């Protein structure tokens, strides 16, 4: 027993432990594996029955101190076999990358990638001449992938016809409203476009229809094949810009309404007449006076009197893109009924001019058994990412039953890679795409956390209301800003899904206990009716003073009926305090550099995204933007603001207020540092001061020549600084405050005044304005975790992390998972409540209720519910019975240094006793080496040969083990013997017994 223990170490322990090992200097990969395809046939015949097909070994500089798993993932299927969202829980997330150079394949295999993707030319098709198709490039890439046992995915595009087609054949080109100028791509409204796409897929089916069926990423339209239209991306990226100009002779490509072509206009007239039945009804709904059907035109803008006209038009426009997406999915599925297919869902915001309608795309994908790939993986820091398109698409996929993937839009830093993995796991991803260049730089994250990349189902009963209608009525605003701000901030203390108006109408609220409102004063009447009915049946709506909600037609009766008591409540904002980090005090001077990522905590209201120009970080304000700065209240202070605006925007009012009192104005064009005296009485009794920049805004596109910027902007700010008069004289620049804001709200008033029963449910109206969002966060947190305090019949969310600590957590059915994105180590004691888990058949039972977590900077930690599969690593040099044989060194064997293996002579053998901690069915993988190649050996357990592995093990590039078969082991001590085949000697390296059916073998990390 005691002799057995030291021979044993779990692979999980080794993989994690290897992180430290890898940091040791001076490691040299001794034995470079040579190609062993030559001896392949002979070994096949001698091999035990379950030996995998050996893939070619590709040159890689391996780190023999670190074992990695090679996953046994079948070629992914779609079609009839496709599971729904986040199913089956526990299956490996499929990892997909682009096809790298051959030398990069081993790294991809060692980091868990099994599917490789090739893009077609995004701006043409393979039909090089009429009826002549050239697939030589994808064929070569496919050949490389398949030869190394990877699966292959193709990304075809049909929106841009090939040049000969454009020259000879009539088709309707997509055309922008602003310039009435076309791009050499199909109009989504041209009825012949569908036939063109269908012909392309039929040709693909003829070429690739035979097994193995590839997977497809379905190009739809846009700069890169997204489900949307052009946004000027290709003409702003160096290299791609020149390519575009060479092909098309211009650089015409930008964000715009791409519906100026005649097919589009005709489609609009037909669709609207069909919607309203007659011109008279249409005019009545729109408050227009078209005299004939031909006169029906697009609206010129949105105004309060013509909301319906505008919304009908935007909906028709988005529907054009959605219909095109539906066509692409349908014809692709017809040609490849069983293939895995994914839709590229992208864009940096939800500007309706892109045509993107995210929840609709998930709905369409589910209809055709197609997966959704959100190209927002790691696009923003994690909490902002979940609050925006990535989280939206995941929520819609979850509801409509479409499997979800993520893909990064570009380069991902190694730290952000950890966030991406957390995102993929917690949002229930079935698949994970990454560029091979990111895998190269971020491989450490894959080596550390790859084992957690399994399909997970989050347990979430809180929904954030996405204000679809209000958003579409503000076409200049790319994404609802207060929604984003609130959802990003509150993610620290709770987890949620995002539900938009379509999803409400389709019944999504039935899945949730609490609905949280951030903004959206105009909502479609049937949506409001659904929400009311859901509350009356037991739901809880949480809302604050974000305006009186009305329907598109201006009816406010819903607000009166559901939240009529709101007007009688005395406003509250909570008590706001700044708490410096332990051991420090509030200083005499602080500077908030608003463009810096660390400034976000101190900003409220209308701030645009940060931008860096000439090395200086700045942000634009909108109409009213706030900065909160801790102060010693009651002393005389000096407020300094560095800000600018262009001369064209002069003459608009830009006021500076301190806690609501004006102290000055910003009135000089160009960049200036303004200084204002702040008398002590303006800050008396406060620990936090609010600086407000209130501006009459301008639109750059309207006042600046050559600007296409549609935003409403106030002033461009570098920093806001508040300092005592002495500190102002100092030459050193003050920094930002170190600490956090804490808000206390009056829970007695919340229960007694703000919360009202409606049917079986509740409304909680928190009478605070947008400036007091942090106080509202506390009201939301109360509704999520303490609803039973209000109503004993109500459930509370299960607490796994409800603290404002910068650590993000998700509860899944099989685990709790934590992510620390910060630069400091976080220590957490997690105490799970047994009663919260009782009666939840959908959630696994934690094996222990108290967990001490050490979260290193940029790290993930998991508390599994139930047992995780065992992996037992037996190093041959530590076998208990080596007889006369001596362990040998050799850096090409695990663990890479010191004694690493045993040379077993002809007719020799080595054996060991080992302890199995859990009963189960184990696969026996071993590494035995002879003449610079893997060599089969006889491995027996408890005196018997191993049984055959059911099914088939998929070996892949960089695999370094063979499989001897399967054995059933009880808990306790067992014995294992390794013997060379007759007439051979071997270098015996290690044996792993793995109870995880997802493992196909083991390899080494790439250096
Ligand atoms: Zn244009």
């Amino acid at each position: 027993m005691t002799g057995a223990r030291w021979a044993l170490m779990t692979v999980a322990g080794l993989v994690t432990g290897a992180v430290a090992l890898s940091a040791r200097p001076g490691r040299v990969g001794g034995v470079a594996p040579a190609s062993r395809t030559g001896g392949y046939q002979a070994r096949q015949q001698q091999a035990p029955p379950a030996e995998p097909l050996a893939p070619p070994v590709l040159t890689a500089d391996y780190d023999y101190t670190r074992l990695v798993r090679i996953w046994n993932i079948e070629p992914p299927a779609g079609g009839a076999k496709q599971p729904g969202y986040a199913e089956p829980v526990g299956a490996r997330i499929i990892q997909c990358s682009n096809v790298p150079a051959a030398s990069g394949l081993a790294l991809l295999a060692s980091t868990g990638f099994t599917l490789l993707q090739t893009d077609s030319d995004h701006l043409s098709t393979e039909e090089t001449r009429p009826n002549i198709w050239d697939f030589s490039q994808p064929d070569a890439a496919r050949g490389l992938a398949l030869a190394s046992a990877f699966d292959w995915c193709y990304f075809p595009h049909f929106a841009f016809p090939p040049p000969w087609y454009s020259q000879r054949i009539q088709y309707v080109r997509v055309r922008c409203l602003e310039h009435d100028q076309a791009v050499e791509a199909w109009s989504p409204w041209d009825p012949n476009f569908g036939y063109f796409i269908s012909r392309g897929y039929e040709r693909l089916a003829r070429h690739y229809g035979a097994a193995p069926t590839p997977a497809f990423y379905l190009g739809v339209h846009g700069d890169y094949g997204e489900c949307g239209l052009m946004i000027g991306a290709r003409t702003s990226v160096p290299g791609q810009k020149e390519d575009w100009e060479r092909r098309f002779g211009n650089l015409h490509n930008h964000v715009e309404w791409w519906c100026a072509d005649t097919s589009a206009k005709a489609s609009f007239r037909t669709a609207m007449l069909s919607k309203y039945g007659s011109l008279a009804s249409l005019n009545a709904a729109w408050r227009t006076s078209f005299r004939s059907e031909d006169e029906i035109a697009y609206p010129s803008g949105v105004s309060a009197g013509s909301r319906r006209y505008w919304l009908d038009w935007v909906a028709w426009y988005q529907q054009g893109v959605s219909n095109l997406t539906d066509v692409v999915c349908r014809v692709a599925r017809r040609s490849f009924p069983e293939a895995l297919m994914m839709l590229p869902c992208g864009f940096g915001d939800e500007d309706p001019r892109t045509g993107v309608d995210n929840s609709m795309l998930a709905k369409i994908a589910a209809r055709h058994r197609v997966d959704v790939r959100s190209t927002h993986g790691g696009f923003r820091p994690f909490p902002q990412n979940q609050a925006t398109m990535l989280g939206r698409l995941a929520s819609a996929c979850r509801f409509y039953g479409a499997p979800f993937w993520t893909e990064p839009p570009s380069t991902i830093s190694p730290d952000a890679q950890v966030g991406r993995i957390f995102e993929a796991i917690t949002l229930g991803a079935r698949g994970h795409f990454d560029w091979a260049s990111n895998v190269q730089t971020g491989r450490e994250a894959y080596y550390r956390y790859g084992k957690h990349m399994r399909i997970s189902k989050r347990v979430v009963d809180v929904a954030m209301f996405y204000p679809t209608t209000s958003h579409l009525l503000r076409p200049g605003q790319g994404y609802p800003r207060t929604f984003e701000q609130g959802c990003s901030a509150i993610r620290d203390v709770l987890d949620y899904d995002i539900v938009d108006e379509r999803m409400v109408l389709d019944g999504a609220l039935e899945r949730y206990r609490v609905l949280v409102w951030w903004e959206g004063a105009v909502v479609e009447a049937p949506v409001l009716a659904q929400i009311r009915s859901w509350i009356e049946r037991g739901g809880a709506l949480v809302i604050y003073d974000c305006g009186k909600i009305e329907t598109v037609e201006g009816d406010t009766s819903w607000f009166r009926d559901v939240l009529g008591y709101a007007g009688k409540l005395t406003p509250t904002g909570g008590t706001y305090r700044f708490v410096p980090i332990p051991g420090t005090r509030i200083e005499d001077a602080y500077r908030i550099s608003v463009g810096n990522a660390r400034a976000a905590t101190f900003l409220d209201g209308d701030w645009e995204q940060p931008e860096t120009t000439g090395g200086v970080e700045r942000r634009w304000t909108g109409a009213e933007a706030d900065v909160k700065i801790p102060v010693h209240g009651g002393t005389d202070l000096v407020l300094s603001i560095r800000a600018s605006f262009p001369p064209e925007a002069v003459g608009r009012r830009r006021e500076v207020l301190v806690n609501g009192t004006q102290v000055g104005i910003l009135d000089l064009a160009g960049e200036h540092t303004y200084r204002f005296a702040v008398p002590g009485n303006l800050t008396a009794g406060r620990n936090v001061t609010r600086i407000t920049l209130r501006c009459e805004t301008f639109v750059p596109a309207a006042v600046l020549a050559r600007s296409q910027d549609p935003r409403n902007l106030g002033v461009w700010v570098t920093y806001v600084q508040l300092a005592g008069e002495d500190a102002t004289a100092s030459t050193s620049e003050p920094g930002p405050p170190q600490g956090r804001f804490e808000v206390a709200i009056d829970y007695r008033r919340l229960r007694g005044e703000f919360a009202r029963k409606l049917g079986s449910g509740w409304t909680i109206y928190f009478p605070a304005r947008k400036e007091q969002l942090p106080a509202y966060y506390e009201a939301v947190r109360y509704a999520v975790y303490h609803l039973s305090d209000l109503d004993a019949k109500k459930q509370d969310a299960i607490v796994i992390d409800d603290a404002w600590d910068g650590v993000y957590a998700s509860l899944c059915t099989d685990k709790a998972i934590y992510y620390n994105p910060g630069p400091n180590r976080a220590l957490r004691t997690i105490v799970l409540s047994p009663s919260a888990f009782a009666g939840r058949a959908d959630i696994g039972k934690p094996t222990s209720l108290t967990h001490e977590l050490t979260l290193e900077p940029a790290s993930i930690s998991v508390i599994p519910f139930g047992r995780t599969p065992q992996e037992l690593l037996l190093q041959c040099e530590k076998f208990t019975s080596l007889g006369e044989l001596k362990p040998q060194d050799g850096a090409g064997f695990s663990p890479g240094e010191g004694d690493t293996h045993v040379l077993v002579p002809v007719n020799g053998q080595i054996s060991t006793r080992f302890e199995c901690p859990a009963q189960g069915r184990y696969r026996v993988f071993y590494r035995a080496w002879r003449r610079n190649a893997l060599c089969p050996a006889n491995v027996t357990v408890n005196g018997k040969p191993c049984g055959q592995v059911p099914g088939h093990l998929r070996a892949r590039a960089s695999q370094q083990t063979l499989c001897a078969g399967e054995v059933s082991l009880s808990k306790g001590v067992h014995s294992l013997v390794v013997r060379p085949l007759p007439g051979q000697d071997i270098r015996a390296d290690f044996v792993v017994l793995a109870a995880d059916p997802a493992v196909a073998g083991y390899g080494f990390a790439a250096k």
Side-chain angles (χ1 to χ4, degrees):
M1 183 77 190
T2 46
R5 225 174 232 298
W6 51 262
L8 186 152
M9 186 175 173
T10 64
V11 172
L14 189 88
V15 171
T16 316
V19 170
L21 285 178
S22 72
R24 289 185 199 169
R27 283 251 42 80
V28 180
V31 183
S35 168
R36 57 190 163 84
T37 43
Y40 175 72
Q41 275 303 53
R43 279 202 316 283
Q44 264 304 93
Q45 287 154 10
Q46 297 167 344
E51 190 198 344
L53 289 177
V57 170
L58 294 145
T59 313
D61 197 3
Y62 289 117
D63 179 352
Y64 294 93
T65 64
R66 311 177 73 185
L67 280 181
V68 298
R69 300 170 186 84
I70 305 297
W71 299 106
N72 186 35
I73 295 176
E74 288 298 310
K81 279 184 271 176
Q82 180 178 286
Y85 175 86
E87 287 168 11
V89 168
R92 289 293 304 170
I93 291 175
I94 300 164
Q95 291 172 238
C96 176
S97 187
N98 54 296
V99 182
S103 59
L105 290 171
L107 171 72
L108 288 180
S110 74
T111 41
F113 288 79
T114 60
L115 179 63
L116 299 182
Q117 173 183 310
T118 302
D119 289 27
S120 77
D121 184 344
H122 298 184
L123 303 179
S124 187
T125 75
E126 294 92 349
E127 192 173 8
T128 51
R129 280 177 290 143
N131 293 313
I132 305 295
W133 295 71
D134 177 5
F135 292 108
S136 56
Q137 286 198 9
D139 284 350
R142 176 174 183 262
L144 179 64
L146 298 186
S148 299
F150 285 91
D151 301 309
W152 185 66
C153 172
Y154 194 43
F155 185 8
H157 294 75
F158 296 102
F160 289 76
W164 65 264
Y165 190 99
S166 276
Q167 283 155 21
R168 290 191 207 171
I169 297 178
Q170 283 285 325
Y171 70 99
V172 181
R173 286 159 176 79
V174 68
R175 183 173 285 273
C176 78
L177 267 191
E178 187 181 358
H179 311 107
D180 195 22
Q181 187 182 336
V183 165
E184 294 296 311
W186 285 87
S187 159
W189 292 275
D190 183 334
N192 295 321
F193 190 13
Y195 171 72
F196 184 81
I197 300 166
S198 160
R199 190 169 159 273
Y201 274 97
E202 280 160 20
R203 194 65 191 70
L204 277 171
R206 245 193 290 158
H207 193 77
Y208 290 120
T213 304
F216 288 97
Y217 196 23
L218 306 175
V220 176
H221 209 292
D223 286 280
Y224 305 105
E226 299 95 337
C227 305
L229 301 171
M230 274 82 61
I231 58 164
R234 279 192 173 270
T235 46
S236 56
V237 177
Q240 296 180 9
K241 178 180 172 181
E242 292 73 20
D243 175 56
W244 180 287
E245 192 165 23
R246 194 167 52 241
R247 288 170 190 257
F248 305 122
N250 61 50
L251 286 170
H252 182 241
N253 179 359
H254 53 101
V255 180
E256 179 51 7
W257 304 102
W258 290 96
C259 57
D261 66 83
T262 47
S263 293
K265 288 175 176 167
S267 157
F268 180 63
R269 285 194 294 269
T270 312
M272 293 302 105
L273 277 172
S274 147
K275 173 173 178 172
Y276 287 103
S278 73
L279 194 61
S281 314
L282 179 151
N283 276 326
W286 289 1
R287 304 181 193 182
T288 47
S289 48
F290 298 122
R291 284 161 304 177
S292 73
E293 296 176 6
D294 296 344
E295 274 189 14
I296 299 174
Y298 300 156
S300 56
V302 59
S303 70
S306 66
R307 281 177 188 160
R308 183 56 68 196
Y309 183 14
W310 176 264
L311 290 170
D312 277 346
W313 180 63
V314 175
W316 160 83
Y317 181 79
Q318 291 181 317
Q319 191 63 47
V321 170
S322 299
N323 285 345
L324 171 61
T325 306
D326 190 78
V327 166
V328 171
C329 291
R330 194 170 59 243
V331 305
R333 183 51 84 206
R334 194 170 59 209
S335 292
F336 294 92
E338 302 290 314
L340 165 68
M341 292 184 178
M342 297 154 276
L343 267 183
C345 297
F347 300 118
D349 60 20
E350 297 204 20
D351 187 323
R353 292 175 299 176
T354 63
V356 75
D357 184 352
N358 279 325
S359 63
M360 190 66 198
L361 296 177
K363 192 171 175 174
I364 290 168
R367 189 183 292 161
H368 299 286
R369 307 175 327 269
V370 166
D371 295 11
V372 166
R373 202 197 281 180
S374 166
T375 63
H376 308 95
F379 174 50
R380 313 270 293 278
F382 168 72
Q384 281 85 1
N385 228 16
Q386 184 169 345
T388 53
M389 290 72 71
L390 185 83
R392 270 230 330 117
L393 282 162
S395 300
C397 284
R398 179 186 176 100
F399 175 58
Y400 291 112
F404 178 69
W405 290 60
T406 84
E407 169 186 325
S410 60
T411 306
I412 297 290
S413 73
D415 278 357
Q417 197 62 264
V418 179
R420 266 210 77 202
I421 290 174
F422 181 75
E423 251 168 31
I425 297 168
T426 58
L427 294 178
R430 179 203 189 194
H432 177 93
F433 179 90
D434 203 356
W435 303 99
S437 53
N438 286 333
V439 181
Q440 175 74 31
T441 53
R443 60 188 182 279
E444 195 57 41
Y446 287 104
Y447 288 146
R448 283 186 198 213
Y449 305 115
K451 65 183 168 190
H452 299 309
M453 294 187 70
R454 292 174 185 265
I455 297 177
S456 306
K457 190 178 273 173
R458 270 186 315 149
V459 179
V460 175
D461 56 10
V462 177
M464 301 300 180
F465 176 72
Y466 180 87
T468 310
T469 301
S470 295
H471 172 62
L472 295 178
L473 287 169
R474 282 180 311 221
Q477 200 182 89
Y479 195 82
R481 213 172 281 161
T482 310
F483 178 90
E484 178 184 340
Q485 185 188 345
C487 291
S488 305
I490 208 151
R491 183 63 185 83
D492 192 2
V493 297
L494 55 89
D495 197 359
Y496 58 80
D497 277 338
I498 299 173
V499 170
D500 67 10
E501 294 189 24
R502 169 178 298 110
M503 291 165 69
V504 170
L505 290 177
D506 285 344
L509 287 181
E510 304 312 313
R511 302 165 163 236
Y512 302 98
R513 202 170 47 83
V514 176
L515 179 66
V516 181
W517 209 280
W518 298 101
E519 61 176 299
V522 183
V523 180
E524 292 286 3
V527 175
L528 291 175
Q530 279 274 1
I531 292 172
R532 177 176 181 162
S533 148
W534 168 80
I535 301 168
E536 286 170 343
R537 284 176 289 117
L541 170 69
V542 194
I543 189 166
Y544 68 107
D545 184 2
C546 52
K548 196 177 244 185
I549 294 161
E550 59 183 47
T551 66
V552 174
E553 279 67 32
D555 181 354
T556 56
S557 61
W558 181 90
F559 188 81
R560 209 168 47 242
D561 293 350
V562 174
L563 298 164
Y565 64 100
K568 301 180 197 81
L569 300 176
T570 315
T572 182
T575 321
Y576 222 81
R577 283 185 64 243
F578 182 76
V579 185
I581 56 171
T584 68
R585 51 186 287 281
I586 291 181
E587 292 174 23
D588 294 332
Y590 288 118
R591 173 179 293 186
I592 313 290
S593 297
V594 299
N596 191 286
R598 288 164 71 202
T601 322
F602 306 100
L603 307 182
D604 276 338
D606 305 328
W607 289 98
E608 296 291 332
Q609 294 296 332
E611 42 195 301
T612 305
T613 316
V616 181
E617 297 170 317
R618 300 183 179 88
R619 275 184 199 250
W620 279 100
T621 74
E624 189 158 321
D626 295 322
V627 182
K628 295 170 297 192
I629 307 184
V631 287
H632 295 294
T635 56
D636 288 348
L637 300 168
V638 175
L639 170 65
S640 309
I641 300 176
R642 184 152 180 86
S644 72
F645 53 84
E648 290 83 351
V650 85
R652 287 169 171 78
R653 265 195 94 66
R654 295 178 175 85
E655 301 171 344
V656 180
L657 296 87
V658 174
N659 292 325
T661 302
Q662 188 181 329
V663 297
I665 56 169
L666 308 177
D667 55 354
L668 301 170
E671 183 141 34
H672 297 276
T673 303
Y674 300 83
R675 288 203 170 76
F676 307 103
V678 179
N681 64 317
L682 291 187
T683 58
R686 290 171 191 268
N687 150 296
V688 177
T689 276
R690 178 177 296 276
I691 314 296
T692 304
L693 305 176
R694 185 180 290 161
C695 303
E696 252 182 82
T697 58
F698 71 100
V699 177
V703 302
L704 299 178
R706 288 204 298 275
S707 173
Q708 292 178 4
D709 188 343
R711 295 176 298 175
N712 290 297
L713 301 179
V715 60
W716 206 22
V717 183
T718 309
Y719 67 78
V720 174
Q721 172 179 321
L722 202 53
E725 284 172 333
D726 296 345
T728 307
S730 159
T731 49
S732 65
E733 289 174 8
Q738 307 282 331
R740 64 196 171 85
F741 290 105
E742 205 174 70
V743 187
I745 63 169
D746 186 341
Y747 292 104
R748 204 174 31 82
R749 282 192 73 200
L750 190 152
R751 285 188 296 266
E753 299 172 43
F754 308 159
R756 295 286 167 98
K757 196 117 206 233
L758 181 67
S760 305
W762 288 84
T763 59
I764 299 175
Y765 186 94
F766 191 72
R769 306 274 310 168
K770 199 167 82 179
E771 297 72 49
Q772 288 122 11
L773 272 187
Y776 179 54
Y777 300 156
E778 297 304 324
V780 174
R781 184 159 66 149
Y782 177 86
V784 168
Y785 292 111
H786 303 284
L787 205 57
S788 65
D789 180 35
L790 199 61
D791 180 342
K793 291 205 221 44
K794 299 291 173 214
Q795 297 280 317
D796 298 324
I798 297 177
V799 182
I800 58 158
D801 172 19
D802 62 352
W804 294 104
D805 57 1
V807 169
Y808 298 94
S810 276
L811 175 66
C812 301
T813 54
D814 61 345
K815 60 181 157 289
I817 175 166
Y818 296 82
Y819 169 46
N820 174 21
N824 302 312
R825 173 188 286 174
L827 303 173
R828 292 286 173 279
T829 301
I830 310 296
V831 181
L832 302 171
S833 152
S835 60
F837 283 85
R840 290 295 299 257
D842 55 329
I843 309 173
K845 293 283 165 288
T847 45
S848 153
L849 293 171
T850 305
H851 299 264
E852 302 288 343
L853 299 183
T854 303
L855 288 152
E856 299 297 337
S859 76
I860 292 172
S861 198
V862 170
I863 299 175
F865 302 157
R867 282 197 173 278
T868 47
Q870 293 286 335
E871 289 167 292
L872 314 176
L873 170 64
L874 307 172
Q875 293 282 6
C876 293
E877 66 276 12
K878 294 185 176 178
F879 273 22
T880 52
S881 301
L882 294 180
E884 299 294 303
L885 304 176
K886 294 274 175 288
Q888 305 210 351
D889 57 13
F893 297 88
S894 170
E897 48 196 23
D899 291 337
T900 58
H901 70 284
V902 179
L903 175 59
V904 187
V906 176
N907 296 329
Q909 70 169 51
I910 54 172
S911 67
T912 194
R913 295 160 70 237
F914 65 96
E915 187 191 6
C916 175
Q919 176 240 320
R921 188 96 184 135
Y922 288 77
R923 281 184 192 159
V924 182
F925 297 99
Y926 65 98
R927 184 166 188 257
W929 200 252
R930 184 168 189 264
R931 297 183 180 169
N932 263 342
L934 276 179
C935 177
N938 281 315
V939 182
T940 55
V941 177
N942 297 329
K944 285 181 281 222
C946 304
Q948 191 164 351
V949 174
H952 153 84
L953 288 178
R954 299 260 305 171
R956 301 194 198 259
S958 96
Q959 185 149 327
Q960 297 280 336
T961 54
L962 298 171
C963 183
E966 273 192 358
V967 290
S968 284
L969 297 179
S970 56
K971 188 170 185 297
V973 178
H974 301 271
S975 68
L976 180 144
V977 178
V978 176
R979 197 179 291 129
L981 296 181
Q984 298 185 343
D985 58 0
I986 51 166
R987 292 182 184 274
D989 190 355
F990 62 84
V991 177
V992 182
L993 293 98
D996 184 348
V999 172
Y1002 296 84
F1004 295 105
K1007 276 191 179 163

